[in-house]
Each structure stands twice: as structure tokens, then as C-alpha cells.
Amino acid sequence: MLAGDFRLALDAAEFAIACGIVPDDWQGDALRSLDRKLLLNCSRQSGKSTIAACIALHQAIYAAPSLCLLVSPSQRQSVELFRKVEELYRRLPSGPEIATESVLKVEYRNGSRIVALPGNEATIRGYSGAAIVVVDEASRVPDDLAAAVRPMLATTNGRLIALSTPYGRRGWFYEAWAHGDGWQRVRVTAEDCPRISADFLKDEEAELGQWQFRQEYLCEFVDTAEQLFASAVIEAALSSEVKPLWD
Ligand SMILES: Nc1ncnc2c1ncn2[C@@H]1O[C@H](COP(=O)(O)OP(=O)(O)OP(=O)(O)O)[C@@H](O)[C@H]1O
Ligand SMILES: [Mg+2]
């Protein structure tokens, strides 16, 4: 390994720079983090997929042989994330040789693989021994798919990185964010992103309405517009602390 390579191996933020991405502060922290369970609750277009792609590629190159799995609600979205990995790889001045490559996966000569999986619980069973599983658009990933992902990390003590905007107060991503144990939580609103202007956000707020704007850009777990009762009311109603209205 060359001296420069050691720097990139030890510091994934330096690696991102070598791929042409100068990380924002939170991106640098996420790249350097060693957390096994990481939740990135980040605004639209803040750069969460790019950084997850970078983390997966760094793992594949410098911790070979590693299996890195990309999961999302649909194959189309997983392939989108996989394309980001390929784009970063192409920008590297030097990287491992590719042994085989398709639209869904790449295997490097160092033995590492990066695989884009379909958003379907039955199809993804069978993969095991993953070093990293990246779950993109995680709030839209059904609970059964998320549950199928966990055993893939069992034998490797691997990392689970889930990135998303919120999607109401329901589902595994919300539960992990609100109540889960052992997760490192990162929240990045659009106001924290230097590439999103205040003018753009003003327009979006007017176009989208409050509920969607707060969800997509302010990363708030707000109840869906169509939900008749607010989650807080339902939770209170189900809580044993609440006295019945009549005995
Ligand atoms: N640190 C950075 N510097 C410059 N450009 C960046 C940086 N991070 C991300 N980008 C660019 O910002 C755009 C959005 O990035 P990305 O697709 O990763 O965001 P996202 O949060 O996943 O968005 P979405 O919510 O739409 O899925 C891309 O064009 C990406 O190349
Ligand atoms: Mg994305």
C-alpha cells in the first residue's frame, strides 16, 4: 500500500475527498464513525446517499474481503445507490481491479463485493456475512424487509446504516429513532445543508404545505395528512397511565 493509500484507508473522510466529495461536517463525522448502528435522519438532497455509498466503497476497498449490501424499498432505488458507488469508484485515482461487474453488483479482485438488492423480503434471504448493510429510504422500507436484513450481520458483527427522511410516526425507522437501543442518531435539516438555499426552501414550503415540508426538509416525524387521529392522541389512549373515561 502506498503512503497516500494509508491515509485514505485510515480516514474515510480523506477517501471521500479523493473521490471528489468535500464532506460537510456531519458527513465527515458519519464517514469517520465506527458505530455499528447508525441512523441518518437527513433532509432531501443533503447528501446522505452519497455518503453511505462512500462508506460502503471505503469498506470494500480497505477491509477486504467485505460483503456490502445496498437495500431500499425497490430495486430501482438500490440500483440508484449502487450507481453512486460506481461513480465514486471511477473518480478514484487508483482502486482495486474489478473482477466482475453488472448493473446490480460488483466484485473486486480483493474479494469484496457490493450488491444492490431488490426491496423484497423473500428475494434477499440467503445473503449472509455482510460487513455493512446500507438501507436507503429506510422509512419506506417495510418492517419485514428490515427484519430480514438483521441476520445478515449476525456472524460478522457488521454495521447497519439506515438513511432516510421521516415518513410519519410508524414503522421500524421511526421506532429505532424514537425508542431503539444502541443507535447513533444524526439529524441534518435542509437549513444545515450549505447547498440548499433559503429561497429554495421558501418556495418548497409554499408548494408542499407544512406537513410535507416539515417531513422532507426539517426531518420531523409528523403524522400523515390522511391520518384521522394524531399519533400522540392514539398513544395516550393506549397508554396504561391514562384513566378510563368511565369505570
Ligand atoms: N459534500 C458534498 N459536496 C458537494 N456535493 C455534494 C456533497 N454531498 C452531496 N453532494 C451532491 O448533492 C446531491 C444530492 O446528494 P444525494 O443524492 O447523496 O442526497 P440525498 O440526501 O440522498 O438526496 P435524496 O433525499 O433526494 O435521496 C448530489 O448531486 C451529490 O453529488
Ligand atoms: Mg438519496
Side-chain angles (χ1 to χ4, degrees):
M1 209 185 275
L2 302 172
D5 267 6
F6 272 121
R7 230 182 57 244
L8 305 192
L10 291 173
D11 186 350
E14 286 290 335
F15 175 74
I17 293 169
C19 297
I21 300 286
V22 179
D24 300 338
D25 286 350
W26 74 268
Q27 289 177 319
D29 291 344
L31 285 158
R32 292 190 176 114
S33 117
L34 298 174
D35 297 299
R36 281 194 46 253
K37 291 162 70 181
L38 181 61
L39 293 174
L40 302 177
N41 171 13
C42 305
S43 158
R44 293 298 314 277
Q45 288 293 294
S46 55
K48 54 194 177 303
S49 297
T50 302
I51 248 45
C54 209
I55 292 172
L57 184 59
H58 186 266
Q59 171 85 27
I61 294 179
Y62 295 108
S66 280
L67 172 62
C68 307
L69 299 174
L70 311 180
V71 179
S72 73
S74 71
Q75 183 146 306
R76 184 189 57 74
Q77 287 160 308
S78 300
V79 167
E80 216 32 62
L81 183 59
F82 181 63
R83 286 210 186 110
K84 287 189 194 290
V85 172
E86 288 181 304
E87 197 184 317
L88 294 169
Y89 172 85
R90 277 197 296 273
R91 291 198 209 156
L92 272 175
S94 69
E97 258 184 74
I98 290 173
T100 57
E101 191 174 27
S102 74
V103 283
L104 293 177
K105 60 182 171 197
V106 61
E107 179 159 0
Y108 300 105
R109 288 237 183 267
N110 66 15
S112 287
R113 287 177 294 156
I114 303 179
V115 184
L117 295 174
N120 170 325
E121 182 262 334
T123 331
I124 70 168
R125 279 175 187 276
Y127 278 96
S128 65
I132 286 195
V133 178
V134 174
V135 186
D136 202 358
E137 308 290 351
S139 65
R140 266 84 166 172
V141 163
D143 289 355
D144 63 344
L145 181 55
V149 157
R150 292 174 169 277
M152 295 173 181
L153 299 159
T155 56
T156 52
N157 211 22
R159 301 180 71 195
L160 180 54
I161 302 176
L163 37 143
S164 197
T165 51
Y167 190 52
R169 297 186 187 199
R170 58 181 138 85
W172 74 279
F173 183 74
Y174 167 69
E175 288 302 327
W177 182 268
H179 311 293
D181 281 335
W183 290 95
Q184 179 65 30
R185 297 169 175 82
V186 177
R187 177 167 170 257
V188 181
T189 69
E191 289 152 353
D192 301 324
C193 177
R195 290 170 298 285
I196 302 179
S197 73
D199 280 350
F200 174 82
L201 286 179
K202 230 166 110 190
D203 278 357
E204 285 289 276
E205 187 168 9
E207 284 286 324
L208 294 176
Q210 271 300 308
W211 168 73
Q212 216 175 344
F213 180 77
R214 284 167 58 197
Q215 174 173 282
E216 300 292 300
Y217 292 103
L218 302 183
C219 314
E220 293 180 18
F221 290 89
V222 280
D223 287 316
T224 52
E226 70 272 15
Q227 195 170 316
L228 193 56
F229 298 105
S231 297
V233 174
I234 296 171
E235 272 167 30
L238 295 174
S239 156
S240 55
E241 315 265 351
V242 175
K243 288 218 165 73
L245 290 174
W246 62 88
D247 298 299

